[in-house]
Amino acid sequence: MEKALASASLPFKLLLSCPSGLSPPQVSVAFDVAYDRIPHQDIQLENSISEIWDKKVQDNKSLYNGTKFRYGGHNLICGDGSNQDSHVCLHLGLTDYRTFMGTNLNPQWEKFLVPSEDDSIRCQHTSSPLGNGAIVETSDRKIIVLQRSTNVGEFPGHYVFPGGHPEPQEIGITSHQYGKDLTGSELINKKVSQEMFDSIIREVVEEIGVPASTLYNTVFIGISCRELNVRPTAFFSIKCSLESKEIQKLAS
């Protein structure tokens, strides 16, 4: 298990690699306002966030400004040679779809970046909602990928792993007003940590159509960041008791 940085010429870089996989008890969360986005000092650049959102809403009245967890870094504790002793704590704040559209997806997105080798500092002015993705292995040892619609705005027709985002609303979080006392904070952190695992199961069930009962041995395997728009994604490995042909029938 290690931090890894890929070449800047590659489309993705690996922020954290856990090749042996970490089970739910080995993954915790520190959910705190300290990991929220820091506004940029360039007022004109900041104002472009609202301008972009207002234009998007005018063009598409169905747009919804949903709340997302913001990735603000992590803390890695490696065991003494035993994977069972390893642990990672994800640092998460709050952001929303509006800010995501106005920073990460802003035509000037690179202006929001800070020169730094530390990714949490480099992206401190971006929304950086934490996505999730699943490497789903079937019982006949095939890996499931999905083809994106040709009608979507980003990467139409491309092949992707199933995934989406963990959702604050699923566990009743709409702001940082929750868990102000120590006991409340610990409870919220546990709920957010569980949502990391629950959400990827929901995404796989929704996107592939397999019953949740066929999915097992879900482990956290790392975090990647797409160089374009600096979008972070937490990845999980999941086993499926169905064969690939059975899954193809469910999806058809």
Side-chain angles (χ1 to χ4, degrees):
M1 181 165 53
E2 58 185 7
K3 291 183 178 180
L5 295 177
S7 166
S9 64
L10 297 178
F12 293 88
K13 70 176 179 179
L14 202 55
L15 304 182
L16 173 64
S17 176
C18 311
S20 298
L22 299 182
S23 63
Q26 294 174 279
V27 180
S28 65
V29 164
F31 175 65
D32 195 276
V33 68
Y35 305 119
D36 284 5
R37 170 184 175 268
I38 299 174
H40 201 282
Q41 61 270 23
D42 185 332
I43 300 301
Q44 187 173 1
L45 189 61
E46 275 293 298
N47 288 341
S48 70
I49 298 174
S50 296
E51 293 167 2
I52 288 174
W53 179 252
D54 291 344
K55 178 64 166 60
K56 293 289 184 181
V57 171
Q58 284 181 351
D59 296 340
N60 185 356
K61 300 296 183 182
S62 65
L63 277 182
Y64 169 68
N65 185 26
T67 306
K68 303 294 179 187
F69 289 112
R70 181 182 184 274
Y71 175 69
H74 64 268
N75 183 35
L76 177 65
I77 302 173
C78 295
D80 54 355
S82 171
N83 185 64
Q84 283 70 32
D85 293 332
S86 299
H87 180 270
V88 65
C89 179
L90 304 179
H91 301 162
L92 302 181
L94 276 181
T95 187
D96 55 37
Y97 190 62
R98 169 186 173 275
T99 312
F100 171 58
M101 294 287 292
T103 58
N104 294 82
L105 298 187
N106 191 317
Q108 305 181 85
W109 65 272
E110 289 177 293
K111 291 185 177 181
F112 284 96
L113 302 182
V114 175
S116 175
E117 292 297 321
D118 186 326
D119 194 69
S120 61
I121 295 176
R122 179 178 177 238
C123 301
Q124 64 184 356
H125 300 307
T126 62
S127 172
S128 299
L130 182 63
N132 58 21
I135 313 297
V136 182
E137 182 181 343
T138 64
S139 61
D140 53 340
R141 300 184 65 80
K142 301 292 177 63
I143 300 297
I144 299 174
V145 293
L146 305 173
Q147 186 172 22
R148 289 175 61 82
S149 168
T150 56
N151 295 321
V152 296
E154 284 190 286
F155 301 103
H158 283 231
Y159 288 96
V160 295
F161 293 112
H165 293 85
E167 301 289 351
Q169 298 93 326
E170 286 289 333
I171 51 177
I173 292 178
T174 57
S175 71
H176 284 290
Q177 294 305 310
Y178 292 82
K180 286 294 185 182
D181 59 281
L182 181 60
T183 302
S185 297
E186 291 177 350
L187 178 60
I188 290 299
N189 286 342
K190 288 180 180 179
K191 286 185 176 181
V192 177
S193 179
Q194 186 61 48
E195 171 62 9
M196 294 298 110
F197 285 84
D198 290 347
S199 61
I200 193 59
I201 295 297
R202 289 198 308 269
E203 296 289 355
V204 171
V205 169
E206 179 181 332
E207 296 190 1
I208 299 177
V210 298
S213 58
T214 66
L215 303 174
Y216 65 100
N217 195 26
T218 302
V219 292
F220 172 79
I221 58 174
I223 301 173
S224 72
C225 179
R226 195 173 76 190
E227 287 287 5
L228 176 65
N229 307 129
V230 288
R231 296 177 62 176
T233 301
F235 271 92
F236 298 80
S237 172
I238 304 176
K239 302 287 187 182
C240 182
S241 60
L242 300 178
E243 291 188 354
S244 54
K245 289 182 179 179
E246 296 177 276
I247 295 174
Q248 286 179 321
K249 288 180 181 179
L250 289 170
S252 60

